[in-house]
Amino acid sequence: MTALRVILGDQLNPRIASLSDVNKAEDHILMCEVGQEATYVKHHKKKIAFLFSAMRHFAEQLVQDGFNIHYVKLDDPGNTGSLVDEITRAVEIIDPSLVVVTEPSEYRVLQAIKSMDVGVNIDIRPDDRFLCTHDEFAQWASGRKQLRMEYFYREMRKKYNILIDDGKPTGGDWNYDSENRKPPKAGLMVPQTFASAPDELTQEVMALVADRFADHFGDLEPFHFAVTREQALQALEQFIDERLINFGDYQDAMVQGEPWMYHSHLSFYINCGLLLPLECVEAAEHAYRAGQAPLNAVEGFIRQIIGWREYVRGIYWLKMPSYEQANFFDADRDLPALFWGADTKMNCLKQCVTETKENAYAHHIQRLMVLGNFALVAGLDPKQVNEWFMVVYADAYQWVELPNVTGMILFADGGLLGSKPYAASGAYINKMSNYCKGCHYKVSKKNGEQACPFNYLYWDFLIRNQSKLRGNHRLSMIYRTLERMSEEKVDSVKMDSIRFFDALEAKQIV
Ligand code: FAD
Ligand code: DLZ
Ligand code: SF4
């Protein structure tokens, strides 16, 4: 019996469920580069080059290991341009008695595969790279008034026995986040991120991307991502050896000219399968046990992976497809051109967009507290904001992008994922970065043309949405402060915001 085993672009691991019972002699493995996946949103050039190169390297490895590979390149004659049509075409060519696929990570692709009729059974297997199944998450969520990552995370720690000593959390506490908010200090020496020179195969892919996707956002060069499992393991090792020690302390810090900071830069590799989440977590725990990294750093890193990563995926599958439509604040402002690199006088936004364009990467606090904070307080349309975040980051797949954008930054789900909106004034950005020093605006000024726009947009957001937010007990202090604000001050907030929004709409440089 011949099976056709489909490997999607984000399933690049030999331990993937669809290969668990592969018969090397008889089965065929299908991988395909298709125009539709690269253009349904116009992904950053670096993301496409990264994924195509990683796919080709993975296929090459499978060939060396003796598998029958049916690999369709983007420019192969006959390439139909869509995943579904390529699977159909391969079924016609290979004539298997079964198609096996690991559940696609994105709802859109799962629906497309489920609705296929290729004349043979399609076996869709759970993706066991994730640490929590859909059923487990649904069970955990059922009956709870509020979903909170922290409680989910504790369950995951217990389930996988991670940072647990004698049944209790290592060090006595579950969470050391309060130790992970140090502002950057002058003269921080940030180690280089992992870099590998593009080999011949990657160069070929880069030429293809430069030719076919020239109008997509983002810089293709320099390209230094890992594109094989071996290289991704080196990137993991380099993070554990050189940056994990400071990951916790400076997790929220932003420094001009330092796009990578002490973060791991592993999301690209974990999300496409080159690394497995549990091996990253185990490497970090091992470093702690060996005395190489402090607990606040190790626990913080582990929480991101077995906590946040699994939690957002759980919410995605719990709430799709309606989650895509969520717009709690009825926000409808168009995404301004500054997100695509048009000039802006707001230095924090300029830095984060420029680095995003160069690297297809920004770290979490840049995404959350600069780009996301602006999208929230300016009332940008969730659909356009989601599309932007899907386009620009090399780690973006809808299962992880959508909950982070709709839930975490925009609060467009009304508080399902997080308990309050992450809105902040310029003071937060000034505390956690050195961006304000080089800015046209004055972070110390609350109103007027020179004032930092975040300072008045923050209050304008709270005023505009008070009917929806006043009942949120985590915002009660802030609303009491607003009540005590003079009428004159409230008027200045509104006037400054109107002036700012008018300028945005008139496409002036803000
Ligand atoms: P580190 O800071 O080193 O964290 C370690 C790992 O934890 C990451 O590699 C990632 O796998 C995981 N992680 C951390 N935070 C989150 C989170 N909030 N959700 C899920 N996983 C997390 N992450 C993506 O992988 N893809 C996205 O498209 C994406 N879009 C985002 C959009 C917004 C608006 C925000 C606020 C966050 C988004 N994130 C996304 C989460 C997070 O910002 C990135 O995972 C992280 O910046 C990747 O860099 P890193 O590998 O250096 O992470
Ligand atoms: C993101 C992406 C891109 C750019 N190209 C491909 C591709 O050519 N072939 C493929 O199998 N997957 C690609 N992907 C990933 C998919 O868009 C999608 O995220 C996965 O199939 C998971 O559902
Ligand atoms: Fe950003 Fe305001 Fe600081 Fe300028 S002053 S960098 S706009 S926070």
Side-chain angles (χ1 to χ4, degrees):
M1 187 178 93
T2 299
L4 177 68
R5 296 174 185 270
V6 181
I7 302 284
L8 299 170
D10 60 349
Q11 300 181 340
L12 309 181
N13 195 289
R15 286 170 54 191
I16 198 82
S18 47
L19 294 184
S20 62
D21 51 352
V22 61
N23 181 332
K24 259 188 196 177
E26 292 198 0
D27 294 349
H28 290 254
I29 297 175
L30 169 68
M31 295 178 69
C32 40
E33 298 168 7
V34 288
Q36 198 179 48
E37 292 306 310
T39 55
Y40 77 94
V41 295
K42 294 171 80 171
H43 292 293
H44 194 297
K45 293 188 199 78
K46 223 170 225 150
K47 177 181 185 182
I48 304 175
F50 162 62
L51 214 58
F52 284 6
S53 175
M55 285 170 71
R56 289 187 188 190
H57 279 96
F58 183 68
E60 209 171 58
Q61 185 62 52
L62 291 176
V63 170
Q64 277 172 27
D65 293 343
F67 292 95
N68 301 313
I69 304 295
H70 185 88
Y71 192 96
V72 184
K73 289 186 177 173
L74 189 78
D75 48 4
D76 278 351
N79 185 335
T80 56
S82 92
L83 286 174
V84 162
D85 291 341
E86 278 313 293
I87 297 172
T88 309
R89 199 163 69 96
V91 169
E92 281 161 12
I93 298 169
I94 292 160
D95 192 24
S97 40
L98 177 71
V99 173
V100 184
V101 56
T102 305
E103 184 185 80
S105 67
E106 298 186 319
Y107 184 88
R108 172 185 60 86
V109 181
L110 176 63
Q111 294 312 308
I113 289 186
K114 271 187 172 167
S115 59
M116 286 179 71
D117 182 5
V118 283
V120 293
N121 279 342
I122 304 183
D123 174 8
I124 303 177
R125 300 181 174 176
D127 190 343
D128 57 12
R129 287 175 300 163
F130 288 97
L131 306 175
C132 180
T133 66
H134 301 325
D135 283 352
E136 273 174 328
F137 191 84
Q139 224 166 21
W140 173 80
S142 79
R144 281 172 196 264
K145 269 205 202 132
Q146 285 193 318
L147 304 185
R148 290 298 164 253
M149 195 287 296
E150 180 62 27
Y151 299 112
F152 169 77
Y153 163 59
R154 291 179 192 179
E155 295 303 315
M156 299 299 287
R157 285 267 295 277
K158 287 185 239 166
K159 178 178 172 190
Y160 287 94
N161 196 30
I162 292 177
L163 289 180
I164 300 281
D165 294 321
D166 300 326
K168 300 217 164 63
T170 301
D173 289 317
W174 289 103
N175 182 318
Y176 294 88
D177 203 28
S178 58
E179 295 175 31
N180 290 358
R181 294 174 192 149
K182 287 209 175 96
K185 59 178 184 203
L188 275 182
M189 297 295 288
V190 183
Q192 300 277 304
T193 185
F194 174 84
S196 103
D199 63 5
E200 214 174 290
L201 194 157
T202 300
Q203 286 174 31
E204 197 180 293
V205 167
M206 288 171 71
L208 175 77
V209 171
D211 180 43
R212 290 285 298 272
F213 306 107
D215 63 334
H216 286 211
F217 175 79
D219 300 349
L220 187 53
E221 292 184 77
F223 185 95
H224 53 67
F225 288 152
V227 290
T228 63
R229 173 155 169 81
E230 201 186 354
Q231 290 171 353
L233 283 169
Q234 285 166 15
L236 169 62
E237 194 179 316
Q238 189 174 320
F239 164 67
I240 300 283
D241 289 348
E242 297 177 9
R243 293 193 302 278
L244 178 60
I245 190 167
N246 283 316
F247 174 88
D249 284 0
Y250 297 112
Q251 195 178 348
D252 289 0
M254 299 173 281
V255 177
Q256 183 144 346
E258 294 287 0
W260 307 97
M261 293 300 289
Y262 296 97
H263 291 266
S264 70
H265 328 135
L266 296 176
S267 50
F268 325 117
Y269 314 132
I270 303 174
N271 291 353
C272 78
L274 291 183
L275 292 177
L276 295 170
L278 210 48
E279 70 191 348
C280 299
V281 164
E282 284 165 357
E285 177 165 12
H286 182 265
Y288 169 68
R289 304 268 179 218
Q292 284 170 11
L295 186 54
N296 67 312
V298 171
E299 185 281 316
F301 176 70
I302 287 175
R303 178 164 17 94
Q304 306 313 309
I305 295 186
I306 65 171
W308 279 111
R309 187 171 187 272
E310 295 291 330
Y311 178 70
V312 301
R313 177 184 184 252
I315 288 191
Y316 177 75
W317 285 103
L318 198 64
K319 292 294 167 189
M320 279 300 279
S322 62
Y323 209 62
E324 265 185 314
Q325 311 306 328
N327 189 356
F328 181 64
F329 296 123
D330 298 316
D332 61 359
R333 193 175 306 287
D334 284 339
L335 192 87
L338 67 88
F339 274 80
W340 299 112
D343 205 6
T344 170
K345 293 182 277 189
M346 299 176 73
N347 190 41
C348 51
L349 285 177
K350 192 174 184 60
Q351 294 307 319
C352 294
V353 170
T354 304
E355 290 173 2
T356 297
K357 180 171 167 288
E358 286 170 358
N359 303 320
Y361 176 85
H363 70 68
H364 187 65
I365 295 300
Q366 295 178 305
R367 298 187 205 196
L368 179 67
M369 298 309 296
V370 178
L371 300 159
N373 187 19
F374 183 80
L376 173 71
V377 297
L380 303 186
D381 171 10
K383 278 219 167 12
Q384 296 181 41
V385 180
N386 270 297
E387 179 169 346
W388 187 82
F389 276 97
M390 270 304 295
V391 164
V392 301
Y393 294 117
D395 57 22
Y397 299 87
Q398 197 194 32
W399 65 267
V400 52
E401 174 278 332
L402 182 67
N404 271 296
V405 170
T406 281
M408 196 180 295
I409 66 169
L410 296 181
F411 202 74
D413 62 3
L416 177 79
L417 182 140
S419 53
K420 73 176 177 85
Y422 274 100
S425 70
Y428 177 87
I429 296 172
N430 189 36
K431 182 175 162 221
M432 296 313 299
S433 79
N434 59 0
Y435 293 149
C436 300
K437 287 196 182 87
C439 188
H440 162 89
Y441 297 106
K442 299 270 168 291
V443 71
S444 56
K445 279 195 177 278
K446 308 288 180 226
N447 288 103
E449 297 214 8
Q450 281 293 301
C452 165
F454 278 107
N455 289 344
Y456 49 82
L457 293 179
Y458 167 74
W459 286 111
D460 192 61
F461 163 75
L462 291 167
I463 294 167
R464 279 195 327 264
N465 295 299
Q466 56 184 317
S467 64
K468 289 181 173 157
L469 290 177
R470 215 176 241 284
N472 183 319
H473 73 276
R474 294 202 60 200
L475 297 176
S476 50
M477 272 220 331
I478 290 164
Y479 274 108
R480 277 203 295 279
T481 308
L482 181 62
E483 269 162 26
R484 289 196 299 268
M485 234 180 228
S486 69
E487 221 172 284
E488 205 183 356
K489 166 81 185 167
V490 171
D491 284 347
S492 320
V493 163
K494 288 184 182 168
M495 293 309 292
D496 284 334
S497 302
I498 289 170
R499 189 192 63 241
F500 183 88
F501 290 137
D502 283 349
L504 261 193
E505 249 141 67
K507 304 199 185 325
Q508 290 164 7
I509 298 174
V510 293

